[in-house]
């Protein structure tokens, strides 16, 4: 019984760390936290920790999607419309809305990690049942 509680504690620690790194990447240390998250993902792929691996996979996947949407959508808007005040407003509004949505997904993911539940915000579910 004690081993099961220790295993659950380890699983939720990896899940919490993954979601914490995801939020750190978005809010405080962009780039550095993403590299740490990628390194953790590559190092922990073969562990038997299903819940932690699922949260780690989803955090990396959401980080990639966030980067793609922010850079792929915000940068062209900025470059095309930076001459007009309305264009600058549209580009900033796009970046703020996308960033806020990904922060909210991170908060939901952290709450699910703390409660020991799986998190599947993307259409592709994690390969860890």
């Amino acid at each position: 019984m004690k081993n099961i509680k220790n295993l659950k504690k380890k699983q939720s620690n990896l899940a919490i760390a993954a979601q914490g790194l995801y939020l750190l990447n978005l809010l405080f240390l962009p780039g550095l936290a993403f590299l740490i998250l990628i390194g953790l993902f590559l190092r922990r792929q073969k562990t038997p920790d299903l819940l932690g691996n699922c949260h780690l996979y989803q955090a990396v996947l959401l980080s990639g999607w966030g980067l793609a949407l922010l850079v792929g959508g915000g940068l062209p808007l900025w470059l095309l419309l930076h001459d007009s005040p309305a264009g600058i407003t549209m580009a900033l509004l796009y970046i703020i809305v996308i960033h806020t949505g990904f922060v909210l997904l991170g908060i939901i993911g952290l709450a699910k990690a703390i409660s020991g539940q799986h998190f599947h915000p993307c259409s592709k579910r994690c390969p860890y049942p």
Side-chain angles (χ1 to χ4, degrees), residues 12-30 32-34 36-37 40 52 55-56 58-60 63 103 105-114 119:
S12 92
N13 284 342
L14 179 59
I16 292 169
Q19 295 298 333
L21 282 170
Y22 172 76
L23 284 172
L24 269 175
N25 180 40
L26 286 173
L27 298 173
F28 298 115
L29 299 170
L32 180 63
F34 182 66
I36 295 170
L37 186 65
L40 187 63
H55 277 274
L56 196 55
Q58 293 297 333
V60 169
S63 293
V103 169
L105 282 173
I107 292 170
I108 293 168
L110 183 60
K112 291 224 179 216
I114 290 171
F119 181 54

Side-chain angles (χ1 to χ4, degrees), residues 49-61:
D49 183 358
L50 298 178
L51 181 67
N53 282 338
C54 183
H55 277 274
L56 196 55
Y57 176 77
Q58 293 297 333
V60 169
L61 192 65

Side-chain angles (χ1 to χ4, degrees), residues 33-48:
F34 182 66
L35 291 175
I36 295 170
L37 186 65
I38 294 291
L40 187 63
F41 178 72
L42 293 174
R43 201 174 46 164
R44 301 283 252 155
Q45 272 184 325
K46 303 290 184 198
T47 60

